[in-house]
Amino acid sequence: EAQVTQNPRYLITVTGKKLTVTCSQNMNHEYMSWYRQDPGLGLRQIYYSMNVEVTDKGDVPEGYKVSRKEKRNFPLILESPSPNQTSLYFCASSSQGAANTGELFFGEGSRLTVL
Amino acid sequence: GQNIDQPTEMTATEGAIVQINCTYQTSGFNGLFWYQQHAGEAPTFLSYNVLDGLEEKGRFSSFLSRSKGYSYLLLKELQMKDSASYLCAVRASGGSWGKLQFGAGTQVVVTP
């Protein structure tokens, strides 16, 4: 089954404790991206990756890091989480071929609470 | 950057038609998407427009006018399961092709 898998789905942590949210897709997609969703603000792009070893900032990259060492994986790293990073996080991927619209396939989301 | 505006909430009756408008201001444009998101779930793709005009897909249609920075999503023959948030998203062009910005979403409430 084609899917985007995020882990953990739910996490409560404390300020300053480094954490990683993993994202893996099995569709051989070139493009992957991370979003956070907050009430009234919609989805905001954190980072995106056009392919392996190619990453770039979205609109809200501060406090986050990413890496793309393999095509299927795109982890989101919070080196020193703060309460304002409490949010619902979505990972998404898409194919970038000329015949594709580039529609995004989303993971189920990771709800993160930073105390 | 891009500003994307859509109404916060719309209410309509089962069987009716609802039109969700989306306006955007962009420094580069390479396509507009509509996604549906049910409460507690991930967004799912509905439509994509890159050229002006109407794209129809079953009960859902999406329209784009690039010169006006305007799109709408038309939901026909509304069903209770259509109650969801509808997200408009614009993809940048050129070197920022991977950038995608979403509007805040329009909550559609379908009543019996």
Side-chain angles (χ1 to χ4, degrees), chain A residues 9 31 35 37 40-45 48 50 56-59 88 90 96 100-104 106-109, chain B residues 1-2 30 33 35 37 40-45 48 57 85 87 91 95-105:
Chain A
R9 294 286 316 283
Y31 179 90
Y35 300 84
Q37 187 170 36
L41 297 177
L43 283 162
R44 291 181 292 168
Q45 191 179 48
Y48 63 93
M50 302 296 285
D56 211 342
K57 296 177 181 178
D59 288 324
L88 178 60
F90 286 102
Q96 301 297 286
N100 296 290
T101 62
E103 69 184 85
L104 289 173
F106 284 85
E108 292 184 299
Chain B
Q2 288 157 154
N30 191 23
F33 297 84
Y35 286 85
Q37 186 177 26
E41 297 182 9
T44 55
F45 171 79
Y48 170 72
K57 193 185 292 186
S85 183
L87 314 176
R91 184 163 63 191
S96 298
W97 187 81
K99 276 199 154 183
L100 188 67
Q101 286 195 320
F102 283 81

Side-chain angles (χ1 to χ4, degrees), chain A residues 3 8 12 20 27 34 37 50 63 68 81-82 93 113-115:
Chain A
Q3 59 186 4
I12 300 174
T20 299
M27 295 169 279
W34 275 103
Q37 187 170 36
M50 302 296 285
R68 188 87 183 275
S82 62
S93 72
T113 301
V114 184
L115 302 175

Side-chain angles (χ1 to χ4, degrees), chain B residues 5 20 32 38 47 55 88:
Chain B
D5 292 309
I20 307 168
L32 186 144
H38 285 103
S47 68
E55 295 279 343
C88 173

Side-chain angles (χ1 to χ4, degrees), chain B:
Chain B
Q2 288 157 154
N3 285 327
I4 301 170
D5 292 309
Q6 49 182 131
T8 303
E9 184 171 317
M10 303 181 75
T11 300
T13 307
E14 197 172 11
I17 298 172
V18 71
Q19 177 175 315
I20 307 168
N21 295 324
C22 172
T23 58
Y24 62 91
Q25 296 172 314
T26 177
S27 55
F29 177 85
N30 191 23
L32 186 144
F33 297 84
W34 285 96
Y35 286 85
Q36 179 191 59
Q37 186 177 26
H38 285 103
E41 297 182 9
T44 55
F45 171 79
L46 287 179
S47 68
Y48 170 72
N49 296 70
V50 67
L51 300 176
D52 290 352
L54 186 68
E55 295 279 343
E56 296 188 82
K57 193 185 292 186
R59 293 189 298 114
F60 293 1
S61 304
S62 57
F63 171 83
L64 176 67
S65 168
R66 288 172 297 171
S67 63
K68 295 181 180 177
Y70 168 71
S71 172
Y72 68 73
L73 179 69
L74 196 69
L75 285 61
K76 293 177 274 190
E77 301 169 19
L78 277 173
Q79 301 175 10
M80 298 300 291
K81 67 178 182 179
D82 297 329
S83 289
S85 183
Y86 291 84
L87 314 176
C88 173
V90 175
R91 184 163 63 191
S93 61
S96 298
W97 187 81
K99 276 199 154 183
L100 188 67
Q101 286 195 320
F102 283 81
T106 298
Q107 186 67 43
V108 170
V109 178
V110 181
T111 59

